[in-house]
Amino acid sequence: MKRKKAAASGIVDAPLDTKSQEKARLDRIPSLAPARLQTYDASADNVGRFIRLLGERINRHLAVSMTACVHCGMCAESCHYFLARPDDPTMTPVYKADQIRRIFKKHLDWTGRVIPWWVHAGSPGNDEDLNRLKNIVFGACSACRRCTLNCPMGVDTALLVRFARGLLTELGIVPEGVFNVSRDQWETGNQMAVTEEDFLETIQWMKDEVRSELADPLVDIPVDRPDCDLLYTINPREVKFDPRSIANAAKVFHAAGESWTLPRWGWDQTNFGLFSGDDKLGAYVARNVYEAADRLRAGRIVISECGHGYRSTRWEGYNWAGYEQKLPTESVVVTLKRYLQEGRITVDPRRNPDPVTFHDSCNIARSGDLVEEPRWVLRQVVRDFREMHPNRRENFCCTGGGGLLSMAEYRPLRLEVAKIKAGQLKATGAKLVCTMCHNCIDGLTDVIKHYSLDMKVVQVLDLVSQALVIPG
Ligand code: SF4
Ligand code: SF4
């Protein structure tokens, strides 16, 4: 009955795993450490555990966002879900946040005791209600924080969404994709389960490629070299699907005369803990990177082009891991800007003649405060740079944020609301959309394909590498 109601309200309706699906899932995970990643237990008192966890984990920051909303509705126009479905109130940020807020009001806030009808206080009745909450916080929000930026009361809806995701993750009530990727990151240290053998083989392959391209046998892609100025950390997608981006980085570092290395362990700067709300996973992955830098006595940590990896490694990870930040931690785009400013590399923008626009990744611009650096670099390396509108901190999500690319069950809704992004891209008239995020590459590629746009997605490093002038 409740499920029907949820579907009618427009919120996607992915079901809880059936017993056989759950068993199949567990059979594929022989070495899962249960203390690390919880699986769904239909016989447990999940509602009770959810409410207990809510009380244990609430903090002042969350409580402000739980209580400060005045239901003015101003955030609605910020959300690409609502803009794409303006007749559906369940797509507004305030509706989504209220599904968490009402439980807080019922169990932890005085208003829920005194005037429950006024503040719509309520409690989940059973696992189906928790599942419905799962479909809202995982399936109908990309945690882009555009609504956060536009709330006059400072309510951080995406923070509440991540909080609820974390509580549901503790109960194993998560989309299968989120569960699988989290498990891979726990067990292999990287979210795509790349083995050390594959990692080293890919590095060797790219090293051979760059050596042959530059006709220079001295080009190197060092692994685990101690005492370098720069520790380079990457996204597993680069090893698995886009190794050319590692080669491009090697080419530019070589041209700049950089002393650099990749670590053999701790090279994955992405962090599914940010998406699943699991701070323990967040701490584990971030710590791997920081410890690699300590072990190799690196001078700084550089993060390849990845939005959530940048936010996790540069900002959130130090808090999750309780790790004292000893080293500068920066995006590779900041490194590229420094090379250009210091004259360490020379570029020729004529090598990138096509019109290029820039997509600000939510986790880099809105949540990472890195806005002007990529633009500055792009203006040096392309001939025709044009802004998309809105841009910078007001940009719209690529639609694949918040881990949504791993959740196949929510794909139809994701692509439906992507019409906002598609319109934004099309209006630029650009042939290339540049983004400094591997997640956004896949999100934007889906949008471009679905809406038949005449565009390709590239990264800043691709364009810098293409424009690079190597003497001789
Ligand atoms: S979250 Fe902020 S903008 Fe949205 S309804 Fe509440 S107070 Fe208004
Ligand atoms: S975080 Fe983004 S997707 Fe989620 S409700 Fe706010 S604007 Fe919408």
Side-chain angles (χ1 to χ4, degrees), residues 78-81 93 96 141-147 157-158:
S78 305
C79 181
H80 58 286
Y81 282 85
K96 298 169 204 173
C141 173
S142 66
C144 74
R145 297 187 79 234
R146 197 165 188 271
C147 54
T157 293

Side-chain angles (χ1 to χ4, degrees), residues 62-137:
L62 285 158
V64 167
S65 287
M66 292 283 193
T67 53
C69 178
V70 292
H71 292 83
C72 65
M74 280 175 67
C75 52
E77 300 285 324
S78 305
C79 181
H80 58 286
Y81 282 85
F82 181 69
L83 290 175
R85 276 196 185 182
D87 298 328
D88 184 350
T90 67
M91 291 292 130
T92 59
V94 65
Y95 174 86
K96 298 169 204 173
D98 273 357
Q99 306 316 302
I100 312 152
R101 195 173 276 125
R102 61 198 288 272
I103 310 173
F104 166 83
K105 299 259 177 183
K106 167 89 182 169
H107 296 278
L108 297 173
D109 192 47
W110 66 268
T111 56
R113 282 192 292 276
V114 180
I115 39 169
W117 46 273
W118 179 255
V119 296
H120 300 289
S123 199
N126 51 33
D127 289 9
E128 282 298 309
D129 286 347
L130 291 177
N131 187 50
R132 183 171 164 270
L133 182 62
K134 175 198 83 176
N135 289 330
I136 295 170
V137 295

Side-chain angles (χ1 to χ4, degrees), residues 218-450:
L218 296 178
V219 184
D220 200 6
I221 306 185
V223 176
D224 253 6
R225 182 179 286 170
D227 300 310
C228 289
D229 291 342
L230 183 162
L231 181 93
Y232 193 50
T233 58
I234 57 177
N235 183 318
R237 184 183 175 280
E238 297 179 69
V239 185
K240 218 155 173 169
F241 303 114
D242 190 11
R244 192 66 224 173
S245 65
I246 304 171
N248 285 341
K251 207 169 122 182
V252 176
F253 290 154
H254 177 73
E258 187 60 84
S259 139
W260 72 290
T261 188
L262 286 158
R264 183 185 288 258
W265 174 260
W267 51 264
D268 181 7
Q269 38 85 345
T270 69
N271 199 321
F272 232 68
L274 181 70
F275 296 151
S276 68
D278 181 352
D279 289 355
K280 292 195 290 285
L281 176 60
Y284 166 70
V285 178
R287 186 172 277 272
N288 284 342
V289 173
Y290 307 146
E291 286 180 348
D294 281 350
R295 174 170 58 82
L296 295 169
R297 299 182 296 277
R300 74 176 61 226
I301 297 170
V302 172
I303 305 153
S304 74
E305 293 176 77
C306 175
H308 90 276
Y310 176 72
R311 179 172 163 196
S312 302
T313 310
R314 169 73 182 86
W315 299 110
E316 316 278 4
Y318 286 106
N319 293 325
W320 292 329
Y323 206 89
E324 185 196 346
Q325 183 178 358
K326 300 174 209 127
L327 299 176
T329 307
E330 70 187 23
S331 160
V332 69
V333 173
V334 174
T335 317
L336 294 173
K337 185 180 175 210
R338 196 166 49 244
Y339 291 164
L340 287 162
Q341 280 179 324
E342 292 174 358
R344 286 174 69 176
I345 56 172
T346 310
V347 288
D348 180 357
R350 286 173 304 178
R351 294 188 184 177
N352 288 311
D354 288 335
V356 180
T357 190
F358 183 66
H359 162 80
D360 290 273
S361 155
C362 305
N363 281 315
I364 288 178
R366 250 189 306 280
S367 297
D369 205 27
L370 194 60
V371 173
E372 299 307 329
E373 288 81 351
R375 290 176 164 76
W376 190 90
V377 172
L378 285 178
R379 289 200 172 94
Q380 314 303 308
V381 298
V382 307
R383 240 179 29 187
D384 179 354
F385 174 70
R386 42 183 86 173
E387 289 286 3
M388 78 171 74
H389 297 282
N391 55 50
R392 296 176 166 83
R393 293 172 186 85
E394 290 285 352
N395 191 28
F396 285 107
C397 178
C398 71
T399 70
L404 272 168
L405 291 167
S406 68
M407 307 175 214
E409 59 272 54
Y410 306 129
R411 191 166 188 270
L413 177 63
R414 173 166 70 81
L415 288 175
E416 181 194 328
V417 301
K419 69 178 176 198
I420 302 299
K421 189 77 224 176
Q424 213 194 352
L425 290 171
K426 197 171 177 189
T428 66
K431 289 283 172 220
L432 299 174
V433 51
C434 179
T435 179
M436 48 187 289
C437 173
H438 276 275
N439 204 60
C440 294
I441 293 183
D442 288 337
L444 293 171
T445 304
D446 269 2
V447 178
I448 288 170
K449 215 161 135 189
H450 190 76

